[in-house]
Structure formats: C-alpha cells, structure tokens
Amino acid sequence: MSERTGLYERLREYARTDYYPMHMPGHKRNSELCGDILPYSMDITEIDGFDNLHLPEGILKEAMERAANVFGAEQTYFLVNGSTCGLLAGISACTNPGDRILMARNCHKAVYHAVYIRQLRPVYLCPEEVPEFGICGGIDPEQVREALRRYPDVKLIVITSPTYEGVISEVEAIAQIAHEAGAVLLVDEAHGAHLGFGHGFPESAIRLGADIVVQSVHKTLPSPTQTALLHVCRRKAKSPEQECGDGIGMSFEERKARVKRFLGIYQSSSPSYLLMAGIDRCVELIKERGDELFAAWRERLLWFSSQTRGLRRIRILKEEEMRRGDGFDPSKLVLSVRGTGKSGEWLYERLLLDYHIQPEMASGDYVICMTGLGDTSAGMERLAAALQELDSVLEHTEDTPDKPPYDPNADMAHRSCARILVPEQYSWEMPEPGTETERLALPDCAERVSVEYIYLYPPGIPLVVPGERLTKELLLELSEYKRGGLALRGMEDESGEYLNVRRQ
Ligand SMILES: Cc1ncc(COP(=O)(O)O)c(C=O)c1O
C-alpha cells in the first residue's frame, strides 16, 4: 500500500477525532450499538445461497418480509440507492407518461426528476410558512381537496412529511381526500423512518392511509448511508365484501407489480450485500430492542429540552409553533438565531469549530441538528452545553444579521407558487440548446423563464424549476445566497453565474 492519503485514510483519521455527528446517518458512527462491519470479507454479489434483490425467493425475501412486519406495511422493498430511487420508482409506478399529478412545491428534487422522466404534468400544492422560523409548514388538506376539484384527472398526490425541519402534514385527512377522488397518495417519509414506533414519536404514514411510503432508514435509524425502504400499503377495507386497494384506478396487486418493475429499472443491478445486510440488522435491532432504544432516545430528547428551556436568544422549534393540524417530529432540532444579528452560518461554524459538533445544515437564520437512534447521552450533553454557552454571548438586536438572511424555505412558502407557469405551458423535454434557449448572466434573467433547476444542497428543494419565471426579488435573493457563501446548484454553469433561459 502506498503512503498516499486517499478517501479511506481520511475516513479512518476522521473516525479517530472527537467530532460529534449531529447529522445523518442515524447510527451516528456508534459502533457500540451497531458493531463495525469489515467490508471486504463479506462483500459479495448474487452468488449461490444469497438470493437476488430483483427476484427475491430466499434470504432477501425473508428479510424484506421481516421489514414489512416490523414497519407495519403489506409489502416492503429494500432500496440501495436511497429514497431517491424509491421516489422515482413509486411515482413512475403510479403514473403513465403525460399524467397529471399533484405535488407539494417543497418536494425533494428526486420528485421533480420523476416528473421529468415520466413527462408528468404537475400541479403544485404550496405549504404555508411557519412564522418566526421562516420554514415551510405542512400541506393543508383543504388545499388538496380544492386542487382535486379543479383537476379531477389527478392520478397521484406526492407530499413530503416530515419535512427536513420535522413538520408533519395531516396525512390521514389527505389520504381520505385522495382516495375519495380516486387518486393514490405517496408520502416521502425519507426523514421519518423512525415514526410509528411510539414513545412520543408521531405515527407513520404507513398506518395513516398512504398508499406508498418511502423512508430513508439511513437518515434517522442505525443503517448505512444510501439504505432506504419502499412500502406499498394496502387500504383498509370498509366492508368485508370490498376488496382492499381497489377503487383507486389501480389495485393493490397492480401497484405492487408496477413498483417492482420500476425498481428493476432504477435500482442497481449489482445491489450491495453490505448495504442490504445493514438494513436487515437495523430491522432486527428494532424488532429485538426497539422499545428500549426508542424510549432511551425520547428520554435524551426530553432531557435536552429541559436543559435548553432557559435559552434566551437561541430558539428551538417546537410543536406549539405548528399550524393547526400539523404535527412535529421531536427528533429534529431546528435552532434559530433570528433577532440576534447572527446568521445560521454563524451558529453552524461556532458549533463546528469551537465545539467539534458537526450540524446537518445551516440556512438563513437557523441550523438543523439531526438526532437519531444511535445518539449517545454524551453527544446530547455536549450539544446542550455548547448552546448554553453560545446563548450567553448572543444579544437581542433588531439589526440585520452579519450576513444577509438567505432562506430558501421561506421563499418557497411565500412566493414560489405565484411565479409558476401554468404547467401545461411547459414541456419537460429539454429545449434544443441555442435555438430555443440562451445563456444569460443571472442578474439579466429578470422576467425570463428558466429551463434549468436552481437549488441549494442541502436541502435539495428546487428554488427554481424549469418553466418558472424569475422575478427581480428572487434574483436578489439568489445573489444574497451566493454572497452568503452558499453554492447555487442544478445549473449547467457550475459556477452559478449563468442560467439557461427561454429565448423571447
Ligand atoms: C425530503 C427528502 N426526500 C428524499 C430525499 C432523498 O433521500 P436519499 O438521500 O435517501 O436518496 C431526501 C434527501 O435528503 C430528502 O430530504
């Protein structure tokens, strides 16, 4: 072996430091809880005795049945390409090219990619803002009802619940409205694989009537990065005579078969056995020790809450802030410095540089710290102590922050729906470069229609979707994000200076 320091050596080195992970994956590098897998000796392919993910008949079929059982779904599929491939497959399975779908405007980019690949016609559901924190709230069921009344041909509804910040929509009510209209409800529960196991955590969409639920087990549970689950749920029959899952344009069996077909397209043909073993171990752990582990996690959160209740300047998002009807996932710690003259980036840097606590992300005037089943009490104590110290040096001020406030989520909640073109006017096919489009410097794009995405990552929610018109206000905000050190992504020009727009 050479002396070079490649990725592997960097990872080994990092593992020896005292940085505490307040980010995904949910195992939190806790080898005491998960053990340390030695990859090479166990890294195989579809050899005899180890089944085939795309044609499961043996050990993988049993593992997926075990997962379905533990999570309370009718049918569960292992995903090795994250929730991303689950969303692509689930949406593709429930639609045909050209179908109309209803989707929350704050969906992850994977949902937009599915819309693009399947050439769907999206109608957007716009979440309201959670005041004070400037983040997207849940989707109002009445908005869904109204949209379905206006667009009775909608085949599929896609919402994100919980959101990155932990906001939970009224899934049960939305599912009922969807089903009455003959539509399928897919819930992107990427951030909620830990829901539905009690101990003060909210119920999962699996048990609230959603038809397809996609969960990233790697985000909050002890499972390796990239691992996720797709659950196909069977409707509860209203009467013994009524066949479950029928009456929605696609029966349960048909939905299941189509999901399997599309997973065969979007999943790798060489799925990693190490990743699949990671999912199976996570399922086993929940089955064997779930009660004890979820109770301990909840205890740690309650303890953290009691320790941080007295903070004067840093505000932590709580259930009470939610719009009536919305719920909140207590595992998410959204730490706001609004009104202190500091930005989210400031808090992020202080936690990282001064306390060796690595947050999940910074945005506008808040930071997200993600907790997970693999957290330790010592980790939570370090975060609480750091926040107490930082809080004591913060002042209340009406001044503008050190850096301009960049807040993609607030923008989403406020304005994006107003600037969206009527979906039918936009073809998702890429226009011929240079003939129908031109490349302009961002400041010159006012009132022009973008043919590209613009987003920040994280959270990966598009600020601009192809077909949307760029307002002056939005362009100003984009330049503020850049000035604040955030990189604009999604554009062909990786520097984020130029955008392809429609020719006028
Ligand atoms: C809401 C949401 N959905 C889907 C995804 C994609 O999940 P994965 O990274 O497991 O592919 C993410 C990723 O951050 C997300 O935040």
Side-chain angles (χ1 to χ4, degrees):
M1 276 271 190
S2 71
E3 287 295 302
R4 72 186 193 98
T5 31
L7 181 57
Y8 176 74
E9 290 81 6
R10 274 289 281 283
L11 288 170
R12 291 262 302 192
E13 229 171 75
Y14 189 70
R16 286 194 285 263
T17 67
D18 69 341
Y19 283 90
Y20 188 81
M22 274 295 161
H23 54 82
M24 53 186 97
H27 54 67
K28 301 298 186 103
R29 300 192 270 117
N30 182 342
S31 50
E32 219 168 275
L33 179 69
C34 308
D36 254 341
I37 299 179
L38 291 172
Y40 288 109
S41 60
M42 293 195 288
D43 194 15
I44 59 164
T45 185
E46 286 85 0
I47 53 176
D48 288 352
F50 285 92
D51 211 358
N52 180 332
L53 182 66
H54 295 285
L55 209 67
E57 292 172 330
I59 194 163
L60 289 174
K61 182 168 183 282
E62 286 161 22
M64 290 193 277
E65 282 169 0
R66 196 159 39 238
N69 208 279
V70 166
F71 283 82
E74 188 69 21
Q75 176 82 43
T76 295
Y77 297 97
F78 283 2
L79 307 175
V80 292
N81 303 18
S83 284
T84 295
C85 84
L87 291 168
L88 294 175
I91 294 168
S92 300
C94 297
T95 53
N96 285 318
D99 277 350
R100 200 192 298 273
I101 76 162
L102 205 53
M103 60 181 273
R105 178 61 181 77
N106 60 333
C107 277
H108 186 262
K109 61 187 174 132
V111 175
Y112 288 89
H113 295 161
V115 165
Y116 170 67
I117 292 170
R118 295 291 277 165
Q119 304 199 340
L120 305 174
R121 290 177 300 149
V123 173
Y124 297 114
L125 297 163
C126 293
E128 281 175 26
E129 188 193 358
V130 176
E132 303 290 322
F133 282 78
I135 59 171
C136 288
I139 297 296
D140 181 357
E142 286 315 308
Q143 199 190 142
V144 177
R145 194 191 300 282
E146 176 54 24
L148 287 171
R149 199 187 54 72
R150 285 185 61 192
Y151 300 99
D153 58 342
V154 163
K155 294 275 175 54
L156 171 69
I157 301 170
V158 185
I159 61 167
T160 303
S161 176
T163 61
Y164 206 164
E165 294 80 17
V167 180
I168 295 183
S169 289
E170 292 178 73
V171 173
E172 195 162 22
I174 295 173
Q176 202 174 342
I177 292 166
H179 297 164
E180 281 164 14
V184 171
L185 176 65
L186 186 154
V187 177
D188 175 357
E189 209 173 64
H191 286 273
H194 59 293
L195 302 189
F197 295 103
H199 299 285
F201 294 97
E203 187 53 280
S204 163
I206 297 170
R207 293 198 187 78
L208 293 174
D211 301 293
I212 294 183
V213 179
V214 179
Q215 298 178 322
S216 293
V217 267
H218 70 90
K219 292 197 198 296
T220 51
L221 295 179
S223 196
T225 297
Q226 272 185 236
T227 55
L229 299 172
L230 185 154
H231 307 284
V232 185
C233 313
R234 194 192 280 272
R235 304 254 176 93
K236 287 191 196 81
K238 288 205 178 84
S239 66
E241 298 78 43
Q242 185 192 15
E243 200 198 321
C244 299
D246 271 354
I248 54 160
M250 196 185 291
S251 72
F252 171 76
E253 291 302 333
E254 195 184 342
R255 204 154 17 107
K256 213 170 71 172
R258 285 177 63 112
V259 163
K260 194 169 168 208
R261 186 173 127 217
F262 281 98
L263 282 176
I265 295 173
Y266 296 122
Q267 292 242 69
S268 166
S269 60
S270 310
S272 159
Y273 275 81
L274 295 174
L275 294 185
M276 294 189 284
I279 305 177
D280 195 30
R281 275 172 63 87
C282 171
V283 170
E284 283 284 355
L285 192 68
I286 294 175
K287 193 170 160 212
E288 300 301 324
R289 295 178 53 200
D291 251 359
E292 166 212 339
L293 293 171
F294 277 99
W297 184 4
R298 183 64 173 159
E299 269 308 302
R300 285 192 293 272
L301 289 170
L302 290 173
W303 177 88
F304 177 82
S305 177
S306 72
Q307 293 300 300
T308 50
R309 196 163 292 136
L311 298 184
R312 296 168 316 128
R313 302 290 174 237
I314 299 173
R315 295 190 54 208
I316 303 180
L317 186 59
K318 298 249 161 26
E319 175 118 39
E320 299 85 84
E321 312 276 351
M322 298 295 116
R323 190 186 62 87
R324 197 159 52 87
D326 288 349
F328 182 64
D329 168 18
S331 83
K332 279 281 158 61
L333 305 178
V334 181
L335 313 167
S336 170
V337 286
R338 183 172 283 194
T340 64
K342 302 291 186 200
S343 65
E345 195 69 15
W346 176 86
L347 181 57
Y348 181 100
E349 281 181 9
R350 294 282 60 78
L351 287 171
L352 181 61
L353 302 177
D354 301 345
Y355 298 94
H356 286 194
I357 294 170
Q358 172 66 66
E360 166 70 18
M361 64 95 93
S363 184
D365 49 19
Y366 64 89
V367 156
I368 296 182
C369 284
M370 279 179 70
T371 68
L373 201 73
D375 271 309
T376 59
S377 299
M380 297 300 287
E381 283 163 20
R382 275 177 63 181
L383 181 63
L387 292 176
Q388 281 158 354
E389 277 187 23
L390 289 169
D391 189 68
S392 68
V393 301
L394 284 170
E395 295 298 333
H396 175 72
T397 170
E398 296 304 324
D399 292 353
T400 48
D402 303 351
K403 289 178 183 169
Y406 29 81
D407 202 333
N409 284 305
D411 173 65
M412 194 71 58
H414 281 314
R415 243 169 279 134
S416 56
C417 287
R419 64 170 189 261
I420 291 165
L421 286 183
V422 179
E424 283 88 338
Q425 289 180 334
Y426 180 63
S427 152
W428 286 87
E429 261 330 301
M430 284 289 175
E432 200 54 39
T435 55
E436 297 171 40
T437 68
E438 57 187 324
R439 184 187 258 211
L440 297 180
L442 257 189
D444 300 332
C445 291
E447 297 311 316
R448 304 299 289 268
V449 174
S450 176
V451 298
E452 299 191 285
Y453 290 97
I454 306 179
Y455 57 85
L456 303 174
Y457 204 91
I461 299 167
L463 292 158
V464 175
V465 172
E468 289 182 1
R469 203 175 286 285
L470 292 113
T471 60
K472 282 199 187 98
E473 293 84 352
L474 177 72
L475 290 171
L476 202 67
E477 271 176 60
L478 294 178
S479 70
E480 283 176 355
Y481 300 155
K482 283 175 67 181
R483 266 203 301 141
L486 298 182
L488 300 180
R489 307 214 186 271
M491 304 143 83
E492 191 181 55
D493 171 34
E494 289 177 0
S495 71
E497 301 287 334
Y498 294 91
L499 182 73
N500 288 318
V501 294
R502 278 218 208 138
R503 252 184 218 286
Q504 282 183 329

